[in-house]
Amino acid sequence: MTSAARPDPQHAPAAPADPAGQLLELSFGYLYSAALHTAARLGIADHLADGPRTAEQLAQAAQAHGPHLGRLLRFLATKGVFRQDGTGRFHLTPLAEPLRTGVDGSLRDYVMMRGDDIFWLPAARLPDAVRTGGTGFEQVYGLPFYDHLAAHPEVGAAFHAGMAAFSQTLSDDVAGAFDFSSVRRVVDVGGGSGGLLRAILLRHPAVTGVLFDREPVIASHVLDIPELAGRWQAEAGDFFAAVPPGADVYLLKHVLASWPDEECVRILRACGRAAPAGGRLLVVNGLIPEGNEPHPGKTHDMLMMTVLNGKGRTRREYEQLLARAGLTVRRVDTLSAHASIIEAVADGC
């Protein structure tokens, strides 16, 4: 073996004790997803909030079939989602706690959203996506993902509710990690319902902001609260064409991963044109690391391949996109596996 072909011991995965068994377990991964989505939809974690219950008691509360529900929960308990005791009752676990409704850090809406047909059916077309370079979603539905959401408002509402649930903690982290002390106006580009802008405005009273997205999306914004009165605007538009001008900071949280490179450059150039001299752009996305270790960014990249024609990217790939758009990277701060802040400045694009 040549030195070029020798595996890096720091990045080589450990050999499994039972390769065949592990491979079979991986092949059944979709069943764990289906079971998790089912438990979320039935509200099982909510029904266990006051204490352990049997499958029959849970089935009565959730209007489900008792024996089937017991088998499903027993299956999830093998992964630490719920726990069955010696009397047959099921308990909440730390993994199941975020499936509750309304608790801090709740992911129930997000887990339910990921089990919708708009994600489930395209995943079955992943082989076609890999063969063609397209997306499984367009093969199933015949049009791009966001066009489908616009045509089906109820589906779009569920999607945006799920994304808001997932993003809330990340929004709070971004609002606290970046120094907004010298910032007077921010524009949240593709900001969805405005969770990030809301977190920034609540934490930094001197800042005003604009939520910029498509009309159906901003219609359900979360900015109209007494604490933010007079400090925000919601503006509809197309971020490929132009964004509101003159802000100190432009935000792009979990936007660029949804689009291929050429479209990303168009979005970035629109932001660069709108920014004044010295204006800054914050790109918030997870960064895919090198090596073979598991990472949420690699999982999210597969989701992009099935549903959108976007992709997860490494730090270097984001830096190259920004350079193509006439933006210079100033610094990169990693907040978590799901979010890094790439700060860039416009250089006259």
Side-chain angles (χ1 to χ4, degrees):
M1 178 183 291
T2 66
S3 59
R6 186 177 298 117
D8 182 348
Q10 293 184 341
H11 296 285
D18 177 14
Q22 182 171 326
L23 188 62
L24 289 174
E25 183 76 2
L26 286 171
S27 75
F28 287 122
Y30 68 97
L31 292 176
Y32 290 109
S33 297
L36 186 63
H37 299 148
T38 301
R41 291 191 183 280
L42 293 176
I44 299 302
D46 290 334
H47 295 311
L48 289 174
D50 293 329
R53 304 172 81 171
T54 66
E56 287 296 336
Q57 290 170 331
L58 289 168
Q60 184 175 5
Q63 298 183 340
H65 183 268
H68 275 36
L69 180 59
R71 291 159 65 187
L72 180 138
L73 297 179
R74 179 180 63 186
F75 180 59
L76 285 174
T78 67
K79 295 297 184 182
V81 183
F82 309 113
R83 177 178 64 84
Q84 188 176 24
D85 64 25
T87 69
R89 297 183 305 170
F90 289 93
H91 299 245
L92 277 177
T93 61
L95 273 181
E97 183 69 23
L99 292 177
R100 292 178 57 194
T101 304
V103 299
D104 288 343
S106 174
L107 291 173
R108 185 188 175 199
D109 284 346
Y110 185 78
V111 171
M112 287 195 297
M113 178 264 290
R114 288 301 183 202
D116 283 345
D117 284 351
I118 58 171
F119 296 104
W120 191 261
L121 298 180
R125 304 299 290 271
L126 183 57
D128 296 324
V130 173
R131 291 189 189 101
T132 65
T135 68
F137 187 91
E138 292 188 39
Q139 295 185 37
V140 173
Y141 290 98
L143 74 170
F145 179 77
Y146 287 115
D147 291 348
H148 180 82
L149 296 189
H152 299 83
E154 72 289 352
V155 178
F159 170 74
H160 292 296
M163 291 305 298
F166 171 71
S167 296
Q168 187 55 57
T169 298
L170 298 181
S171 295
D172 292 340
D173 289 346
V174 173
F178 185 76
D179 181 8
F180 286 93
S181 60
S182 63
V183 175
R184 293 295 172 263
R185 186 169 185 258
V186 301
V187 175
D188 192 358
V189 179
S193 61
L196 174 58
L197 183 58
R198 173 178 167 142
I200 291 170
L201 297 183
L202 285 173
R203 185 179 286 263
H204 305 281
V207 178
T208 63
V210 179
L211 175 64
F212 185 77
D213 211 317
R214 297 176 298 113
E215 181 65 46
V217 178
I218 63 173
S220 60
H221 69 76
V222 295
L223 299 172
D224 195 9
I225 58 175
E227 299 93 320
L228 303 184
R231 295 175 51 209
W232 60 270
Q233 297 173 270
E235 183 175 334
D238 177 5
F239 55 36
F240 290 115
V243 302
D248 302 303
V249 170
Y250 288 83
L251 308 166
L252 283 168
K253 182 173 77 71
H254 291 166
V255 171
L256 298 185
S258 298
W259 300 97
D261 289 354
E262 293 305 319
E263 280 76 2
C264 286
V265 172
R266 290 173 59 196
I267 297 169
L268 291 168
R269 284 176 176 162
C271 294
R273 289 192 299 269
R280 289 173 287 176
L281 176 70
L282 303 185
V283 175
V284 181
N285 264 113
L287 301 181
I288 295 180
E290 303 293 338
N292 299 302
E293 290 80 6
H295 189 273
K298 299 174 184 178
T299 304
H300 192 257
D301 186 45
M302 289 295 96
L303 177 63
M304 294 298 97
M305 190 183 298
T306 58
V307 177
L308 293 160
N309 198 21
K311 63 180 181 179
R313 293 178 175 90
T314 64
R315 172 174 174 165
R316 181 179 179 185
E317 287 172 326
Y318 273 115
E319 289 174 339
Q320 290 171 340
L321 282 181
L322 288 157
R324 287 179 58 189
L327 297 156
T328 301
V329 173
R330 175 178 287 177
R331 61 182 294 168
V332 178
D333 293 319
T334 297
L335 308 183
S336 70
H338 296 283
S340 292
I341 302 176
I342 305 174
E343 179 186 352
V345 294
D347 13 274
C349 64

